Amino acid sequence: FCFMAAPGKVAAFRLPPLPTVGDIIKLFRLKAQKQLSQNFLLDLRLTDKIVRQAGELKNAHVCEVGPGPGGITRSILSAGVEQLLLIEKDARFIPGLQMLSEAAPGKVRIVHGDILTYKMEKVFPKHLKKNWEDEPPNIHIIGNLPFSVSTPLIIKWLENVSKKDGPFIYGRTQMTLTFQKEVAERFTANPGGKQRSRLSIMSQHLCTVENCFIIPGQAFVPKPEVDVAVVHFTPLVQPKIQQPFELVEKVVKSVFQFRRKYCFRGIGTLFPESGRLKRTEELMMTANVDPTLRPFQLSMSQFRSLCNTYRKMCDEDPSLFVYNYREELKQKKMRPLLKSTSQLEQTEEENEL
């Protein structure tokens, strides 16, 4: 469903007096749902601070993800944006957002939908589109993300960055998003850091990532058990690993599969059991990566070398890329079960005879 405020623009925009976010919550009897990991931010000084991290928003086009009761929404509108698209999955918040839409005529569009499946290729005007090499377009994505959605959503958007589609069809669209503090630390972790992970490589190879500031858990209602961090992403003109997203993700996932073991253990999962050792040695020697390094010690250039070498091996043997280690493991576990079932059936047939 889509709601649009009546057309009409205001020269110097300022929201009229409105009920506080706390009053909106009481008015519409809104209660944060634990299963959706919802936490409301009511302090407008903090919501203003989040919005300032996005940069200059005057006359910008903004998409806010999961606005909830509308705290960050008010700060975005007060920044003088041209248009604001709100994507909210929870229908309970729509009436309160509609009230904000009516207070900002012609500026707000509300979409009741799921951001994980919502198509963003056509939501902004075509004239905003920039070449990838140019400065980022005047488009921003902002959101206080529920913890349950944040990781799958950023992986989806990183894939969009890699393919230059979705919200990045307009150019290097910037994102300002909230994450659990521990997750945010993974985005910016350096080689050797204890938080270095798959998220570190996937985000840093595609974006400049800035961990802006921490919001203490007690600032939210209800209070989460962890602190929250605001992270700003700007897509890079050139990715640090120039290989398809799926290939990079497969290599990085495999390496970090056994985080505390030597990296050759995880890299081995890229290859079928028959010939695994030989191919793992070939990959590591060609890529010139020390097999006794731990996954979190590997630098971006080492990951690049591993991905480039693996790509050459896949080009020579296309069956390699479709190989799935977990699937082989599953089948291996099933074999004794199938064997015992087959033996039981055979015994039953002999007894019948």
Side-chain angles (χ1 to χ4, degrees):
F1 305 99
C2 184
F3 306 88
M4 185 80 184
K9 294 185 180 178
V10 187
F13 181 75
R14 182 172 290 179
L15 280 171
L18 285 165
T20 66
V21 181
D23 289 340
I24 294 279
I25 289 169
K26 287 175 190 168
L27 180 66
F28 295 104
R29 296 179 181 176
L30 302 172
K31 192 176 179 183
Q33 293 192 356
K34 197 172 182 181
Q35 66 268 34
L36 296 177
S37 58
Q38 291 174 338
N39 302 95
F40 305 147
L41 191 55
L42 309 185
D43 188 336
L44 291 182
R45 289 169 303 175
L46 283 172
T47 60
D48 284 348
K49 193 176 178 183
I50 291 171
V51 170
R52 281 198 298 274
Q53 298 302 321
E56 178 55 63
L57 294 186
K58 192 165 176 61
N59 301 323
H61 288 248
V62 176
C63 171
E64 187 190 353
V65 182
I72 294 177
T73 313
R74 294 176 187 225
S75 295
I76 295 170
L77 287 169
S78 298
V81 298
E82 178 76 16
Q83 284 287 319
L84 174 57
L85 169 67
L86 303 175
I87 301 175
E88 179 54 66
K89 185 180 179 180
D90 192 334
R92 297 175 306 143
F93 296 119
I94 301 294
L97 296 173
Q98 185 66 19
M99 189 183 285
L100 276 176
S101 175
E102 287 161 7
K107 284 186 177 286
V108 181
R109 186 157 59 103
I110 305 168
V111 171
H112 177 210
D114 186 345
I115 189 62
L116 283 169
T117 55
Y118 186 67
K119 304 288 182 194
M120 293 187 71
E121 283 83 357
K122 295 178 181 175
V123 296
F124 301 112
K126 284 181 183 177
H127 74 265
L128 295 172
K129 201 168 183 177
K130 293 272 190 88
N131 292 324
W132 195 259
E133 299 74 24
D134 294 343
E135 286 298 303
N138 203 10
I139 296 171
H140 300 261
I141 296 172
I142 299 174
N144 173 30
L145 305 176
F147 297 153
S148 59
V149 172
S150 60
T151 302
L153 182 57
I154 195 62
I155 289 292
K156 175 182 182 277
W157 276 339
L158 289 171
E159 183 173 1
N160 290 147
V161 170
S162 176
K163 295 176 178 177
K164 299 176 186 167
D165 61 12
F168 307 96
I169 202 164
Y170 301 91
R172 296 185 296 120
T173 301
Q174 297 177 79
M175 301 180 282
T176 307
L177 307 166
T178 62
F179 296 90
Q180 276 179 259
K181 179 174 172 275
E182 191 181 89
V183 175
E185 286 168 352
R186 290 176 197 160
F187 289 122
T188 54
N190 293 317
K194 65 176 184 177
Q195 295 287 16
R196 184 79 162 174
S197 68
R198 172 177 73 119
L199 281 179
S200 316
I201 311 303
M202 297 309 294
S203 56
Q204 290 172 30
H205 111 81
L206 289 162
C207 297
T208 299
V209 190
E210 184 189 352
N211 210 328
C212 304
F213 66 95
I214 306 296
I215 304 174
Q218 60 258 34
F220 293 86
V221 178
K223 178 190 167 187
E225 292 174 9
V226 293
D227 291 338
V228 172
V230 177
V231 185
H232 185 76
F233 300 82
T234 307
L236 294 164
V237 173
Q238 289 290 346
K240 291 179 181 172
I241 304 171
Q242 302 217 11
Q243 294 295 348
F245 182 86
E246 293 81 1
L247 184 139
V248 178
E249 189 178 38
K250 186 178 182 185
V251 171
V252 174
K253 254 185 183 176
S254 298
V255 171
F256 280 101
Q257 194 153 207
F258 302 101
R259 181 181 169 77
R260 299 193 179 278
K261 298 188 183 292
Y262 292 145
C263 65
F264 78 81
R265 178 72 179 86
I267 287 166
T269 64
L270 290 167
F271 306 107
E273 193 172 20
S274 57
R276 176 171 293 156
L277 189 59
K278 187 186 172 188
R279 282 178 148 175
T280 305
E281 285 174 355
E282 182 192 337
L283 173 55
M284 304 227 64
M285 282 179 72
T286 310
N288 194 25
V289 173
D290 181 351
T292 63
L293 287 172
R294 312 281 176 186
F296 57 87
Q297 293 176 307
L298 296 179
S299 66
M300 187 63 75
S301 62
Q302 287 170 317
F303 271 105
R304 184 190 307 122
S305 191
L306 287 169
C307 290
N308 291 344
T309 307
Y310 179 64
R311 171 65 187 270
K312 284 176 187 171
M313 293 173 84
C314 288
D315 288 344
E316 288 165 13
D317 179 2
S319 68
L320 263 189
F321 188 68
V322 294
Y323 165 72
N324 186 312
Y325 170 73
R326 290 188 181 277
E327 198 58 44
E328 186 180 59
L329 212 59
K330 197 172 156 187
Q331 286 174 4
K332 202 176 173 184
K333 285 178 182 173
M334 287 290 289
R335 273 180 218 137
L337 188 67
L338 291 168
K339 194 177 177 184
S340 60
T341 307
S342 174
Q343 285 170 344
L344 184 66
E345 286 170 353
Q346 191 178 346
T347 307
E348 285 173 351
E349 281 176 18
E350 286 170 358
N351 288 343
E352 281 177 18
L353 284 167

